[in-house]
Amino acid sequence: MLDYPLLAALAAVIRTGSFERAARQLHVTPSAVSQRVKLLEERLGTVLVVRGQPCTGTAAGQRLCQHVEQVALLESELRGALPGLSPADGPVTLRIAVNADSLATWFVAAMAEVPGCLFDLVLDDQDHSAEWLRKGEVLAAVTASAAPVPGCNSHPLGALRYRATASPDYLRRHFPDGVTAESLATAPCLTFNRKDRLQAHWLRLVLGDHEPVPTPPTHWLPSTHAFVDGALAGLGWGMNPDPLVADHLAAGRLVELVPGRPLDVPLHWQQSRIAGTALAELSRAVLRSGRQALHPIVESMGSPPAA
């Protein structure tokens, strides 16, 4: 039988990234946490934590951490059916992968509908968030992938609409003769991080297959709201979520590079099939909030084209 106090210590170290923070979470000393993890490693005959800054879990450690979180979900559901059971030590924590633009536009509203839970959000690009599910490091994810990850269910949410926007002054300076492949190759753009391909997808969309996709100079801005601010300040053009720029476009503070050519990115909600009541409630809230805030997914839309 697995020793759950030892597993709780292991999960706390992996999720917080340090023995000290794990000790504060569990209300014990760092030495006690270290002893519990060491004892668990000795019993299982394998290393579970890579000590460092931060501490990370080995493949075996991550698998055990996932198991602890799934057991916590199942126990929370059981307590609802059997109130005579001893109360839980605290609220269930749901670890979810979500892209930054969904978090900045509609996902928080879904979180607020499940007040009895704590959230541990992992931010990653929608094209990569499903990998967290494959590795067993999250219980659910907002992802661009419609194909279910093994052991998960996949539900369409809708499409997050992006618009290529910039300030009117920026447009006059960099596109005096209109938006062309030549001008797009030299006009600075905004890029969230190395995984961000939205600008390249939009360039392919507007230029078509007959034109090579340019690689414009870029500012790296790893913040959804900084993207909007950067466009307003005239730093560059970027793909901004429609909900965040609609008012700026209406007021003329921002303009579209090519009016009427948005990029729709289909999003899906994938969740582990081992779903306790808390995760089921969150899934209902996510589907409701997503479908209210996002555009319908057109059958032929698919994923954005490869750059």
Side-chain angles (χ1 to χ4, degrees):
M1 294 293 292
L2 293 171
D3 189 319
Y4 281 89
L6 302 188
L7 286 173
L10 170 69
V13 171
I14 292 175
R15 293 308 185 221
T16 64
S18 83
F19 285 83
E20 290 74 16
R21 286 191 290 271
R24 290 195 294 270
Q25 179 178 303
L26 297 173
H27 307 293
V28 297
T29 65
S31 176
V33 173
S34 179
Q35 289 172 7
R36 292 177 189 180
V37 172
K38 183 179 179 181
L39 180 57
L40 187 59
E41 290 177 324
E42 289 174 350
R43 287 184 181 177
L44 297 178
T46 186
V47 175
L48 301 174
V49 175
V50 179
R51 276 72 171 173
Q53 297 294 331
C55 294
T56 57
T58 64
Q62 290 287 0
R63 183 66 188 86
L64 288 170
C65 193
Q66 178 192 26
H67 172 76
V68 171
E69 291 169 346
Q70 291 173 342
V71 168
L73 278 176
L74 294 173
E75 286 186 348
S76 69
E77 185 174 15
L78 192 60
R79 286 188 177 89
L82 300 173
L85 290 177
S86 58
D89 294 333
V92 173
T93 296
L94 302 178
R95 197 164 198 248
I96 311 295
V98 61
N99 59 310
D101 291 337
S102 289
L103 183 61
T105 52
W106 64 270
F107 193 78
V108 170
M111 295 167 59
E113 292 189 37
V114 193
C117 297
L118 298 175
F119 292 92
D120 180 1
L121 297 185
V122 175
L123 288 184
D124 205 348
D125 185 271
Q126 63 274 357
D127 291 327
H128 299 268
S129 53
E131 187 60 29
W132 292 86
L133 271 173
R134 291 189 187 94
K135 295 187 295 184
E137 295 190 27
V138 297
L139 294 165
V142 175
T143 173
S145 175
V149 171
C152 297
N153 294 322
S154 178
H155 307 278
L157 288 166
L160 184 54
R161 178 161 292 175
Y162 289 84
R163 298 187 185 274
T165 52
S167 70
D169 179 65
Y170 174 92
L171 199 68
R172 287 190 292 269
R173 283 187 287 119
H174 292 279
F175 301 101
D177 300 318
V179 177
T180 65
E182 292 74 19
S183 58
L184 284 167
T186 59
C189 72
L190 308 174
T191 306
F192 191 88
N193 60 24
R194 270 67 184 175
K195 296 179 180 179
D196 180 11
R197 304 298 297 162
L198 289 179
Q199 286 65 233
H201 292 327
W202 182 82
L203 288 170
R204 170 59 68 207
L205 176 69
V206 298
L207 294 177
D209 294 333
H210 62 283
E211 292 274 6
V213 174
T215 305
T218 190
H219 298 284
W220 300 96
L221 291 178
S223 162
T224 295
H225 292 287
F227 241 63
V228 179
D229 293 340
L232 288 167
L235 282 176
W237 69 270
M239 301 304 296
N240 283 304
D242 203 17
L244 297 185
V245 296
D247 289 344
H248 294 303
L249 289 169
R253 293 184 292 270
L254 289 175
V255 292
E256 288 190 79
L257 266 63
V258 180
R261 297 301 299 272
L263 176 70
D264 285 351
V265 176
L267 296 176
H268 302 265
W269 174 248
Q270 296 210 31
Q271 66 169 71
S272 169
R273 293 197 185 109
I274 302 177
T277 302
L279 187 55
E281 290 178 0
L282 175 63
S283 293
R284 286 191 292 269
V286 167
L287 293 174
R288 184 165 50 249
S289 295
R291 290 167 180 172
Q292 288 174 352
L294 302 173
H295 290 263
I297 296 177
V298 179
E299 286 295 326
S300 60
M301 180 189 302
S303 299

